[in-house]
Amino acid sequence: MTTHGGFEPVFCTVVPPHILDRLAKSDNPARSGPAQRTLVRDSELRARRRVTSEYRLAAAPAAKAPSDQPLRTIYDAEHRTDLPGTKVRAEGSDPGQDATVNRAYAGLGATFDLYLKAYQRHSIDGDGLPLDATVHYDEGYNNAFWNGEQMVFGDGDGEIFVDFTNSIDVIGHELTHGVTQYTANLTYYGQPGALNESLSDVFGSLIKQYSLGQTAAEADWLIGAGLLAPNVTGSALRSMKAPGTAYDDDVLGKDPQPATMDDYVRTGRDNGGVHINSGIPNHAFYLAATALGGHAWEKAGQVWYDVLTGGELTEKAFFSDFAKLTVKAARERFGDGGDEFQAVEKAWEQVGVRIL
Ligand SMILES: [Zn+2]
């Protein structure tokens, strides 16, 4: 198992704090109650996770040759908070009655598939890490997360959010935080934090696109489609195609994501706006992928993966550092004569990130 020096676990939940904070202030107790409970639970989990992640890395066994098959186990928390809960589905077993269990199993498998088949990476640590998930966590829990050891999914309160296994891209998003920790280990604050978030959205979306066999033109480029309850005005949590347009709702407010540096948000909340300013590199990826056409994981995704895992991206990288490395990686991967590096260069220019 390869670990990175100065390993600092990221605790990213699917629903970011800026949304829960707003819901928690709602006058309607059916909305504020679950959001307040979710915020309290998340802060307990954040504290606990720091300890378990360090333990896990210290106790990791010596590596053997990783398998080309995932090793998935799904557990049911039965609406309690003890992890992992009761084992309900093991690798290779047939689907059961519970659609939530089956979606979690499929989402872990789709994530494993993209990384292995597109990038020859064995699981999130590159060394065959088993993929565990717990469903039906807590009562009305409005979130899902990867805690450094496993995925955990709430059922949602039914008022604002529904079953968190509904979006394959958010499963991929959370697991990609693991990939980033094992590779570039981007600091989870400010611009490096927004890059960390953006990489999770990029590969989360690619996992969905790969599983559906979609081209860049066919993809919806949404993160979290299918998570919002029917009475919420919105389509998803974020849009890479049109950041700032994913939702506009009385209770949730308006999607705060900028698409370009002109609208970069300076804030101390949400780790310096990591889930907000990620809209800028997200949109750059969308622009590069659609300009290149075809399957987004083959060219744009390969370039982004090369930068994430190539060893030159520093933990404190800014958008411009990352952009420069993508242009370099596109030249190295596809040559100086092709359109690829120019499409990547132009995408960053369009979102206002200067390549120095
Ligand atoms: Zn995240």
Side-chain angles (χ1 to χ4, degrees):
M1 173 180 254
T2 338
T3 59
H4 202 283
F7 183 93
E8 175 66 27
V10 165
F11 185 80
C12 164
T13 52
V14 168
V15 182
H18 67 82
I19 293 181
L20 289 171
D21 284 348
R22 187 176 167 112
L23 286 173
K25 289 179 194 140
S26 168
D27 293 336
N28 180 345
R31 288 165 179 171
S32 59
Q36 286 165 5
R37 283 198 305 279
T38 300
L39 280 166
V40 169
R41 180 73 64 208
D42 289 354
S43 91
E44 292 167 4
L45 288 161
R46 191 171 288 118
R48 196 179 311 163
R49 180 165 185 254
R50 216 153 262 145
V51 177
T52 53
S53 298
E54 280 165 17
Y55 170 77
R56 181 188 171 77
L57 288 171
K64 57 176 184 178
S67 165
D68 281 353
Q69 295 299 320
L71 186 54
R72 291 165 287 182
T73 312
I74 312 297
Y75 301 85
D76 187 344
E78 295 161 330
H79 304 290
R80 294 191 292 267
T81 57
D82 300 327
L83 291 175
T86 308
K87 184 172 167 180
V88 287
R89 191 168 175 195
E91 184 62 43
S93 67
D94 291 332
Q97 296 289 314
D98 186 341
T100 302
V101 170
N102 299 334
R103 278 192 298 267
Y105 185 88
L108 298 181
T111 301
F112 186 92
D113 267 6
L114 175 82
Y115 279 111
L116 182 66
K117 290 174 187 161
Y119 310 121
Q120 297 79 51
R121 182 181 190 82
H122 288 83
S123 195
I124 60 174
D125 64 343
D127 200 19
L129 187 76
L131 299 175
D132 295 346
T134 295
V135 299
H136 304 309
Y137 178 78
D138 206 352
E139 294 279 354
Y141 180 64
N142 269 340
N143 235 330
F145 57 90
W146 185 65
N147 73 355
E149 292 188 10
Q150 64 160 111
M151 279 296 308
V152 178
F153 298 95
D155 290 336
D157 58 3
E159 177 79 17
I160 302 292
F161 294 104
V162 294
D163 192 326
F164 279 86
T165 60
N166 281 343
S167 273
I168 201 169
D169 45 80
V170 302
I171 301 176
H173 172 109
E174 291 301 326
L175 292 169
T176 298
H177 279 305
V179 175
T180 300
Q181 282 171 19
Y182 284 108
T183 55
N185 195 30
L186 288 155
T187 303
Y188 203 55
Y189 194 88
Q191 284 200 21
L195 283 170
N196 191 323
E197 267 306 306
S198 175
L199 285 158
S200 276
D201 280 351
V202 163
F203 290 101
S205 182
L206 291 179
I207 286 156
K208 180 175 176 180
Q209 293 174 36
Y210 184 83
S211 74
L212 296 172
Q214 290 176 329
T215 63
E218 290 162 347
D220 65 13
W221 296 99
L222 295 171
I223 302 298
L227 294 186
L228 299 175
N231 54 339
V232 176
T233 311
S235 49
L237 293 171
R238 292 182 287 281
S239 168
M240 299 176 71
K241 181 176 183 173
T245 68
Y247 56 87
D248 189 354
D249 181 79
D250 293 348
V251 180
L252 280 187
K254 188 179 181 305
D255 176 2
Q257 281 211 314
T260 73
M261 288 303 285
D262 288 345
D263 298 315
Y264 186 90
V265 177
R266 286 173 204 286
T267 173
R269 295 172 74 200
D270 181 30
N271 288 66
V274 293
H275 292 91
I276 296 172
N277 292 315
S278 55
I280 298 165
N282 274 0
H283 195 53
F285 182 83
Y286 161 82
L287 291 168
T290 48
L292 292 167
H295 292 134
W297 60 86
E298 290 176 3
K299 287 188 172 177
Q302 182 70 62
V303 167
W304 260 240
Y305 183 79
D306 287 348
V307 174
L308 172 62
T309 60
E312 287 186 75
L313 184 64
T314 65
E315 295 180 11
K316 307 243 187 271
F318 275 48
F319 292 173
S320 58
D321 304 316
F322 185 85
K324 187 177 180 177
L325 288 172
T326 59
V327 176
K328 180 167 178 262
R331 283 180 189 269
E332 285 171 2
R333 178 66 70 170
F334 299 108
D336 275 343
D339 301 332
E340 289 83 1
F341 83 88
Q342 289 174 359
V344 171
E345 216 166 40
K346 188 171 174 213
W348 289 111
E349 191 184 308
Q350 285 175 279
V351 302
V353 172
R354 270 183 232 284
I355 298 173
L356 303 170

